[in-house]
Amino acid sequence: MRLWGNSRLAQTRSPSLGGYRRSSVTHERILTTEDTGDTGAHRGKSSDPPPNRLQFPSMTVAVRSFAKVNLGLYIGAARVDGFHDLRTVYQTIALHDVIRVSVGRGSGIEILCKNKDPRVPLDSSNTCYRVAELVLEELGADGRVGIEIEKRLPVQGGLGAASSNAVATMVALELALKRKLPAAARLRIAAEVGSDLPLFMVGGTTLGVGRGEEVYPLADLPSVAMVVVMPEVGVSTTQAFADWDALVQREKAAELRSAWTGEGARPHTIREQLTGLAASDRLIEVGRLLSAWLSGLPNTGASAKWGSRAGNLLSDLVRTGIENDFEKVVFPLYPELRDIKGALECAGSRYASLSGSGSTLYGLFQSRADAAKAVSRLRKQGLRAVATSTLTRRKYWEQSLVVGR
Ligand code: C5P
């Protein structure tokens, strides 16, 4: 890729592309029902299962399904397939859902949301269902698949939870079936189900291009303290992209009007940003910006020590002015989200942003102590704030599969 020729694309293969091959990703370390002797589905007499539990005689594989945030997100032109080209840097974070997959005799796919969140679909529209269907088809495998989702992350929150759940399902299902998909098939299935899935097959700091599904592992940024604020409201990504198109159209019309009337030497407006450059030129500019940011970082590397390296990263982010385009359409519709970004900044965040199309906002902090202080301050303001940290690629794969029931 020309644009990114000089950027610090990691030389290592993604663990996922190499076949979940990290040391921790082994059957021995996964706590399964074979270990515990408890399927969860057969507590009590097998003839008398508790209501609302799935019934699977075989082992259960449990996988943590981590969230992501976007460190900058730039939207380009709408494409003929209805998607938009974009450039973003994805970063996995330590907040997660838990996915449990079981395979038993029979056929069909059954989804259960452990905490009964009504916003989680239990039918074939669920990304986990779609992935499971495609994995079974690709492997030519049979069986009754049970998928239990323990929802902790917000739905429609911009943290990629549904996409992450789907990738966790793929990981767990392969392990439960004791069958492996070729790496190319995994990526194909992921991209088919959604633009945000492939990033979770890489983890850590990842460049996203194309419609977001084309991912490149970057040299990992160090773990940084962060605060995530999860507002009650959910934002539809499809709607946010449509709002973006409407904004571009409005700005183009204003541009034309001002060309006719001679008025309109407004300095540095959104219009200038959106229409001053053609959408594709703009993405080239953004590519340069992100590339300069990444290659200017002296502090990449998963083994980074806490402290100064994180500090450098934060200053770099702020200095480079990395932004999320969705803020331009989401903040006017939900002014309370702009206020939350302001509250994060007032609470000491060095860099705050909407994640994806929202509604989640995050702030990066110099230290865990600063993040903890910010959380108590934000909670006093009535906000649902949690302290967490970014998750390097190594930790992402180490921690994904090591989970108790
Ligand atoms: O790929 P995913 O299912 O997450 O996309 C959901 C919707 O978001 C798409 O149907 C499309 O309307 C919009 N989208 C887009 N451009 C992208 C990604 C998503 O327009 N790059």
Side-chain angles (χ1 to χ4, degrees):
M1 286 200 36
R2 186 168 55 86
L3 252 182
W4 295 91
N6 293 326
S7 71
R8 293 189 177 183
L9 296 182
Q11 297 304 306
T12 52
R13 270 196 319 160
S14 142
S16 61
L17 305 184
Y20 315 128
R21 63 189 160 81
R22 293 281 173 181
S23 58
S24 65
V25 186
T26 61
H27 285 280
E28 305 87 76
R29 297 217 30 214
I30 300 160
L31 196 61
T32 69
T33 52
E34 285 175 346
D35 303 323
T36 61
D38 178 5
T39 65
H42 286 257
R43 290 197 186 96
K45 279 184 290 173
S46 60
S47 58
D48 184 25
N52 228 356
R53 297 294 302 184
L54 298 172
Q55 298 175 60
F56 300 110
S58 76
M59 78 172 196
T60 298
V61 178
V63 173
R64 285 196 185 102
S65 163
F66 289 103
K68 61 83 183 165
V69 293
N70 299 81
L71 300 174
L73 193 159
Y74 296 87
I75 309 171
R79 311 186 324 187
V80 283
D81 62 6
F83 287 89
H84 294 72
D85 271 323
L86 54 83
R87 298 283 183 275
T88 187
V89 175
Y90 299 111
Q91 175 65 55
T92 45
I93 67 171
L95 299 180
H96 62 87
D97 289 337
V98 179
I99 301 294
R100 296 181 180 86
V101 172
S102 317
V103 182
R105 276 185 295 280
S107 63
I109 299 165
E110 205 173 340
I111 299 190
L112 175 79
C113 180
K114 195 178 179 199
N115 32 343
K116 299 191 174 63
D117 186 326
R119 295 167 304 174
V120 176
L122 303 178
D123 59 13
S124 60
S125 66
N126 191 301
T127 49
C128 299
Y129 187 107
R130 285 156 62 204
V131 156
E133 202 171 30
L134 291 169
V135 169
L136 289 177
E137 193 181 304
E138 186 75 28
L139 290 172
D142 278 332
R144 182 168 186 74
V145 177
I147 304 166
E148 185 184 74
I149 303 170
E150 186 178 328
K151 197 37 66 197
R152 302 176 184 185
L153 300 170
V155 177
Q156 288 198 322
L159 294 178
S163 305
S164 175
N165 289 175
V167 170
T169 299
M170 183 169 350
V171 172
L173 184 53
E174 280 187 47
L175 290 166
L177 290 167
K178 299 192 170 82
R179 301 271 305 275
K180 274 189 183 176
L181 280 170
R186 285 185 190 139
L187 275 176
R188 180 169 34 77
I189 290 172
E192 194 176 324
V193 172
S195 310
D196 273 359
L197 269 70
L199 85 100
F200 291 107
M201 312 209 59
V202 179
T205 312
T206 309
L207 174 70
V209 304
R211 62 179 163 88
E213 93 293 9
E214 204 184 310
V215 288
Y216 299 92
L218 297 168
D220 249 345
L221 298 176
S223 180
V224 178
M226 70 191 297
V227 172
V228 169
V229 179
M230 296 174 267
E232 287 300 322
V233 60
V235 176
S236 152
T237 303
T238 311
Q239 187 57 47
F241 274 113
D243 293 344
W244 174 263
D245 290 339
L247 175 67
V248 171
Q249 287 313 316
R250 281 199 303 278
E251 296 295 342
K252 272 187 186 156
E255 178 86 356
L256 274 176
R257 262 198 314 277
S258 71
W260 277 98
T261 59
E263 153 242 314
R266 287 185 285 154
H268 198 68
T269 57
I270 289 180
R271 186 191 74 203
E272 192 179 273
Q273 291 173 36
L274 299 183
T275 59
L277 294 167
S280 60
D281 292 344
R282 182 169 177 264
L283 281 195
I284 290 172
E285 275 307 306
V286 163
R288 291 202 181 106
L289 176 82
L290 290 178
S291 187
W293 170 53
L294 291 160
S295 52
L297 283 174
N299 54 343
T300 50
S303 60
K305 264 191 85 180
W306 190 261
S308 62
R309 285 171 168 224
N312 289 345
L313 163 65
L314 294 175
S315 331
D316 271 329
L317 264 168
V318 174
R319 200 174 42 241
T320 316
I322 300 233
E323 288 175 356
N324 179 345
D325 278 341
F326 277 123
E327 290 184 358
K328 298 183 184 84
V329 286
V330 173
F331 283 175
L333 273 178
Y334 303 97
E336 67 272 29
L337 301 186
R338 190 200 303 275
D339 295 343
I340 294 173
K341 178 172 171 175
L344 275 161
E345 286 164 349
C346 286
S349 166
R350 299 280 303 277
Y351 177 84
S353 173
L354 193 69
S355 181
S357 58
S359 61
T360 300
L361 292 118
Y362 68 89
L364 300 178
F365 286 79
Q366 188 78 52
S367 69
R368 286 176 200 275
D370 288 353
K373 257 187 255 161
V375 164
S376 50
R377 181 169 162 168
L378 293 164
R379 284 187 183 162
K380 278 186 198 132
Q381 295 168 41
L383 296 171
R384 196 149 64 101
V386 286
T388 184
S389 63
T390 61
L391 196 64
T392 62
R393 186 168 304 119
R394 185 172 59 81
K395 291 235 166 89
Y396 175 81
W397 286 103
E398 273 173 9
Q399 294 178 14
S400 279
L401 291 163
V402 186
V403 61
R405 288 181 60 76

